[in-house]
Amino acid sequence: MAELLRPYRALLASRLRAQLAYRRSFAMDLVGAAGIGVLELAEVLVIFSSISVLGELDLAGALLLFSFAGIGFSTADMVVGHVDSLPRYLRTGTLDAFLLRPLPVLAQLITSDLQLRRLGRTAVAVVVLVVALSMNTIAWSPALVALAVLTPVFSAVIFAALFVCAAGVQFWLVEGGEFANAFTYGGNYAASYPTSIFTLPMRVLFTFVVPAAFTAYLPTLVLLGHSGPAWTPAVLGWFAPVAAAGIWTVALLGWRAGLRHYTGAGS
Amino acid sequence: MTEPIISATDLSRDFVVHTGRGLRRRRSVTRAVADLAFTIEAGAAVGYIGANGAGKSTTIKMLTGILVPTSGRVRTCGLDPHRHRRELARRIGVVFGQRSQLWWDLPLSESYRALAAIHRLGPQALRARRDTLVERLDLGDFLETPVRQLSLGQRIRGEIAAALLHSPDLLILDEPTIGLDVLSKERLRQFLLEERATSDTTLLLTTHDMDDVQRLTDRIIVVDHGRMAYDGTLAGLVRRVGADRVIVVDLEENAAPLDDVAGTRLLGVEADGLRQRLAFTPGSTTAAAVLAQVSARASVRDLTIEEPDIEDVVRRLYASGA
Amino acid sequence: MSALAVYAGLGWRRWSAYRSAAAAGAFTNSVFGLIKAAITMGAIGAAGGTLAGYDALTGATYAWLAQALIGPVNVFTWTELAERIRTGDIAIDLARPIDPQAGYLAADLGRAAFQLLPRGAPPLLVGALVTGLALPAEALPYLLGLVSVTLAVVVSFACRWLMNLAAFWLLELRGVTTLYLVASNLLCGLVVPVHWFPPWLATIAAWTPFPAMLQHPIDIIMGRADGPEAFILLGEQVAWAIGLLVIGRVVFEVGARKVVVQGG
């Protein structure tokens, strides 16, 4: 296993060294990324400055929800966020270089440009999570502890799959990046608020098609003991791994088809 | 027993092109490569020549597994390139002169470490191979400089070392000398000659540079609109299209225009007849015969022979085929 | 003047070449509009039906108008000038017999004019179908709105111009552009209307040019600010536009002198 992963370790290590080489600009980038996290937080806080409950969540619940989505999205963005600039990789011939190396292309693409600076945004979300956990009264049980720990992880896994879907689409659509943003960044936007405020078609879209609700909203309902709206009951909060498996299946099939299209093997 | 390192049979590749917008959008199919058939034996050095858009890159992509043929068959190193792309990648090295495979923000030494891991070279194997390449390509001075700060000549040498790091059986160079100055070109050719002499790496190279073809290859394949136009030696091609060679003679003293040397055509007289340029077709006469005739009339101080330009030869070949 | 018209035409044509990009952008703006309208209406519903003068319908209209205008006004980033400063191509602009700031402004107005319909109409259309729109019935708000949107483009351009000039002194601009993005998106009223801000944040916003990029034109188009109020907002926009353009000229002079004297 260690031997199998050696190429990726070397690739990642070289990326990290390159990013840390310019400390001052890296620090600026970290601050910038944290700024984006603060911006998203500000939106929630401004909304709750004039109301006390949104969906069935109060500020404490909304912050918990926000932190799950934030940690998940920023982690996914850090690890695989660059894959949605696939057209650039195609234009510069980088993808051809990947095809000429004895490793899977997607694995090379992911390890080619891990963006450490996005940790700034993750840091904001982690601070919010700590604050939110102390603000909420949760009837902790071993199962709920496991849920709270695993939710950010599966949140990241689901958002990562959305990014890979976005990359796959761009083998066909040159402007696919912009379209795909609607589902990656849009998915994050939708995930950061209680899904219950959406109309039924949008709720179904962001639960069963783009599984954004599984990244934060549904697990938050379980943790806080809410029942959830019709069609998307709280019990779904336990099924984030299933949603992750589903969206990754779609993502990998799409990627495979896209690569086959690119190499002319038909699609 | 010994299978050729590359064999292509009836190799074709179509591309779908969309033109126009909206309702007037039309779909048409262009054939980039048509019914190519050739084999290359292990250890050969082959120049792959053609005008821009003749199908060179498409062919290379099919040979390396980046692109699947629309029809026909290709085998590289005994493998189906697309199906066994990753296995093939361990046995070939590819350099695209105008595209970088190095990490632009990292020094060469880092890139080589990463590539060694990718190709699973052990630390000792890496060090031995790297040291050889660094020495022979003279990379020592800029091994720790980020790639984006290198000159084109330095970068290409770095690229070639990267492609040879895992000691491939087949080295494919796509326009390796494009944009290089005379000195860098010469240095690169010298290295490639040495490399071929010391290992039996097979070389396939596309180029626009006649000197590359002449110095580095012993066989050329010319494609025109995706079709095979010529396969053989350079001399054979020059003979076939009847491309002229030019003898430039510098004389000791002014002489009358040498416009009646048998088998030649006077192209120009410079410096009051001190320098004269005579064109002749190889096959109808030889450089030695021309020189003998000229020497009979005036004492020759110096002479140079200009080889036909590859573009010109290819153009003539295309024209003769049409 | 005719040279500037040519620049504006070039700006239009350059962007009209990217039709599919405009379509993709409009699609994304519309999807974000759906989410934003839902959040806005949800918040207004939670507040008991009205929030800072917005009811569900006017709240949704605000969200859709914001999505329609962010493309043309461009509250995001633009680094073309910084790129030219870094590469030294700015010297070419300096050598042209046209004022660089005026030339770039003209091109940006051309871009905005092109984007107004393809980027603006789809979100409004989706909004009209999904939530309905509360728009005034008389013509005046739209006429004033057009003036206000034009001024918003000028203010936005003047800010982006200043931000790009940082490239004269900084090697890496990504940190600066990200912070600008954060400040402009929040304070222009894109994430939530400025009228929802708690007083301290509203005060900060009032001291920046950002509300003049989005909140003001939307207030004028929706008729929230009418009569003298609309003209006060327009006056504020004019003041920001002139002030920022003048500062931009001065800073550009200083930076350009640095290039001329030190050779970059």
Side-chain angles (χ1 to χ4, degrees):
Chain A
M1 191 65 187
E3 185 52 26
L4 199 69
L5 292 178
R6 187 164 80 93
Y8 303 108
R9 269 211 317 277
L11 285 172
L12 281 177
S14 64
R15 289 317 313 148
L16 301 192
R17 266 196 290 278
Q19 286 174 39
L20 295 175
Y22 304 93
R23 283 179 197 280
R24 230 182 53 178
S25 69
F26 180 72
M28 276 291 275
D29 286 346
L30 266 184
V31 173
I36 293 195
V38 170
L39 170 70
E40 292 174 327
L41 176 63
E43 179 171 358
V44 177
L45 293 178
V46 168
I47 288 176
F48 274 90
S49 72
S50 9
I51 58 174
S52 51
V53 175
L54 184 63
E56 54 279 64
L57 300 181
D58 57 6
L59 178 62
L63 287 179
L64 186 62
L65 165 83
F66 173 85
S67 68
F68 283 147
I71 294 173
F73 184 78
S74 60
T75 309
D77 197 18
M78 172 173 72
V79 180
V80 297
H82 57 278
V83 305
D84 74 357
S85 43
L86 186 78
R88 186 166 50 85
Y89 287 87
L90 297 179
R91 204 173 49 240
T92 56
T94 312
L95 201 83
D96 288 347
F98 290 165
L99 282 162
L100 291 170
R101 290 188 195 140
L103 295 175
V105 177
L106 183 59
Q108 288 186 65
L109 183 62
I110 288 173
T111 47
S112 71
D113 203 14
L114 181 96
Q115 293 290 341
L116 269 192
R117 64 194 158 92
R118 288 176 177 146
L119 276 177
R121 198 166 168 187
T122 316
V124 173
V126 169
V127 170
V128 175
L129 176 65
V130 171
V131 172
L133 284 175
S134 69
M135 284 169 75
N136 284 289
T137 38
I138 300 169
W140 289 109
S141 66
L144 287 190
V145 172
L147 184 69
V149 172
L150 289 177
T151 293
V153 176
F154 280 105
S155 174
V157 171
I158 289 173
F159 281 121
L162 288 178
F163 276 112
V164 174
C165 289
V169 169
Q170 293 172 74
F171 280 109
W172 288 276
L173 295 174
V174 183
E175 303 296 343
E178 188 65 37
F179 275 113
N181 275 348
F183 297 102
T184 50
Y185 291 84
N188 174 46
Y189 190 27
S192 307
Y193 287 87
T195 315
S196 51
I197 63 174
F198 297 128
T199 55
L200 185 61
M202 274 179 73
R203 215 160 73 222
V204 169
L205 172 73
F206 284 114
T207 306
F208 299 109
V209 183
V210 179
F214 288 94
T215 64
Y217 172 66
L218 294 167
T220 302
L221 290 183
V222 177
L223 284 171
L224 300 181
H226 292 297
S227 57
W231 293 95
T232 52
V235 66
L236 286 174
W238 295 99
F239 289 89
V242 177
I247 191 72
W248 265 104
T249 306
V250 172
L252 290 177
L253 285 176
W255 173 262
R256 219 175 88 102
L259 200 60
R260 286 176 63 82
H261 174 75
Y262 178 70
T263 59
S267 53
Chain B
M1 176 63 218
T2 50
E3 193 185 346
I5 198 153
I6 296 175
S7 71
T9 326
D10 302 330
L11 193 60
S12 299
R13 173 69 214 188
D14 296 341
F15 286 108
V16 177
V17 184
H18 293 280
T19 46
R21 288 184 175 282
L23 293 176
R24 279 169 299 163
R25 202 165 137 98
R26 275 205 183 78
R27 185 176 178 278
S28 60
V29 176
T30 336
R31 181 147 276 210
V33 166
D35 307 320
L36 273 190
F38 62 90
T39 58
I40 293 176
E41 303 300 328
V46 177
Y48 194 58
I49 318 287
N52 287 329
K56 294 183 307 238
S57 297
T58 306
T59 312
I60 287 183
K61 284 185 172 178
M62 289 192 285
L63 297 178
T64 53
I66 298 181
L67 204 59
V68 181
T70 305
S71 65
R73 212 175 79 105
V74 58
R75 286 181 81 75
T76 308
C77 299
L79 301 167
D80 174 343
H82 185 252
R83 184 162 312 149
H84 300 285
R85 178 170 49 75
R86 276 184 242 159
E87 202 183 328
L88 180 62
R90 295 186 187 284
R91 303 186 49 190
I92 61 174
V94 186
V95 174
F96 293 104
Q98 286 162 301
R99 291 175 158 189
S100 181
Q101 307 181 68
L102 300 166
W103 288 265
W104 68 283
D105 51 357
L106 289 178
L108 289 174
S109 60
E110 285 269 351
S111 288
Y112 296 155
R113 203 173 312 155
L115 284 169
I118 288 172
H119 286 287
R120 302 185 194 285
L121 295 183
Q124 268 134 40
L126 165 65
R127 198 166 320 121
R129 182 66 177 154
R130 199 190 70 164
D131 289 350
T132 316
L133 290 167
V134 165
E135 194 218 306
R136 287 179 35 211
L137 279 161
D138 203 7
L139 309 174
D141 292 342
F142 47 88
L143 205 54
E144 301 302 330
T145 312
V147 167
R148 68 190 142 94
Q149 292 170 18
L150 299 182
S151 73
L152 181 63
Q154 292 172 331
R155 205 203 82 211
I156 294 289
R157 269 143 67 204
E159 298 267 2
I160 292 189
L164 287 172
L165 201 64
H166 55 291
S167 310
D169 302 333
L170 169 65
L171 178 63
I172 297 180
L173 304 175
D174 190 17
E175 303 280 2
T177 57
I178 199 162
L180 295 188
D181 59 78
V182 181
L183 214 64
S184 306
K185 277 186 187 178
E186 195 44 44
R187 193 177 219 165
L188 196 60
R189 289 183 197 128
Q190 203 58 47
F191 167 79
L192 290 170
L193 286 173
E194 284 169 26
E195 175 68 20
R196 295 240 307 120
T198 52
S199 64
D200 9 314
T201 316
T202 310
L203 178 66
L204 178 65
L205 131 129
T206 77
T207 183
H208 281 99
D209 192 308
M210 188 61 158
D211 289 336
D212 285 349
V213 177
Q214 220 158 24
R215 297 276 309 280
L216 298 173
T217 68
D218 38 44
R219 173 182 162 197
I220 57 173
I221 294 174
V222 183
V223 279
D224 176 22
H225 291 96
R227 288 180 185 283
M228 176 79 79
Y230 178 80
D231 184 355
T233 62
L234 176 61
L237 174 62
V238 170
R239 220 172 311 133
R240 171 151 148 204
V241 300
D244 290 344
R245 299 172 85 182
V246 175
I247 280 196
V248 182
V249 286
D250 285 339
L251 305 176
E252 294 284 3
E253 53 214 34
N254 300 12
L258 300 164
D259 51 6
D260 55 350
V261 179
T264 71
R265 205 154 38 81
L266 182 64
L267 290 183
V269 178
E270 293 163 35
D272 291 332
L274 272 180
R275 167 174 286 186
Q276 309 210 12
R277 298 157 57 82
L278 302 162
F280 71 98
T281 311
S284 64
T285 183
T286 64
V290 175
L291 181 60
Q293 289 190 62
V294 173
S295 303
R297 297 195 212 169
S299 57
V300 176
R301 191 167 56 80
D302 197 5
L303 94 160
T304 45
I305 299 180
E306 291 173 358
E307 293 300 335
D309 166 17
I310 189 85
E311 307 282 319
D312 182 46
V313 172
V314 169
R315 216 175 299 122
R316 281 161 180 264
L317 181 68
Y318 286 1
S320 70
Chain C
M1 204 60 210
S2 67
L4 290 180
V6 170
Y7 267 55
L10 280 178
W12 170 292
R13 264 209 303 280
R14 260 182 77 193
W15 286 88
S16 64
Y18 304 110
R19 266 169 239 238
S20 52
F27 175 77
T28 304
N29 286 161
S30 302
V31 172
F32 271 79
L34 279 171
I35 302 169
K36 196 186 289 286
I39 294 170
T40 310
M41 292 166 83
I44 291 168
T50 56
L51 183 53
Y54 291 98
D55 60 19
L57 186 60
T58 50
T61 308
Y62 180 88
W64 290 113
L65 275 170
Q67 287 306 111
L69 288 179
I70 48 174
V73 174
N74 191 359
V75 294
F76 302 107
T77 51
W78 172 75
T79 52
E80 194 183 325
L81 179 70
E83 212 58 56
R84 290 182 76 82
I85 292 172
R86 187 168 27 229
T87 57
D89 287 352
I90 190 71
I92 301 170
D93 299 331
L94 285 170
R96 285 191 181 132
I98 186 168
D99 178 72
Q101 193 189 32
Y104 277 95
L105 174 58
D108 201 51
L109 284 167
R111 173 198 61 79
F114 167 73
Q115 289 189 332
L116 195 60
L117 277 184
R119 293 291 294 266
L124 289 179
L125 207 65
V126 174
L129 290 173
V130 174
T131 62
L133 296 174
L135 291 170
E138 64 273 34
L140 186 63
Y142 298 104
L143 286 175
L144 293 181
L146 198 62
V147 177
S148 179
V149 169
T150 311
L151 286 168
V153 176
V154 178
V155 173
S156 158
F157 168 80
C159 284
R160 284 178 279 129
W161 172 267
L162 267 171
M163 183 185 65
N164 274 254
L165 294 186
F168 277 122
W169 294 275
L170 294 177
L171 275 176
E172 173 62 58
L173 273 195
R174 202 166 51 199
V176 177
T177 52
T178 312
L179 289 178
Y180 173 82
L181 189 74
V182 169
S184 69
N185 278 223
L186 177 64
L187 299 177
C188 75
L190 175 59
V191 295
V192 279
V194 174
H195 303 296
W196 289 14
F197 286 4
W200 62 272
L201 191 58
T203 311
I204 293 177
W207 283 95
T208 70
F210 299 118
M213 295 181 194
L214 201 69
Q215 184 73 52
H216 290 2
I218 295 179
D219 282 354
I220 291 175
I221 295 170
M222 288 183 67
R224 185 185 170 106
D226 56 357
E229 245 182 284
F231 286 97
I232 291 173
L233 290 185
L234 287 174
E236 227 180 89
Q237 286 184 297
V238 171
W240 276 117
I242 293 175
L244 288 166
L245 284 175
V246 168
I247 297 172
R249 293 192 80 80
V250 174
V251 177
F252 184 80
E253 290 299 323
V254 177
R257 200 171 309 137
K258 179 169 170 285
V259 170
V260 174
V261 174
Q262 302 175 355

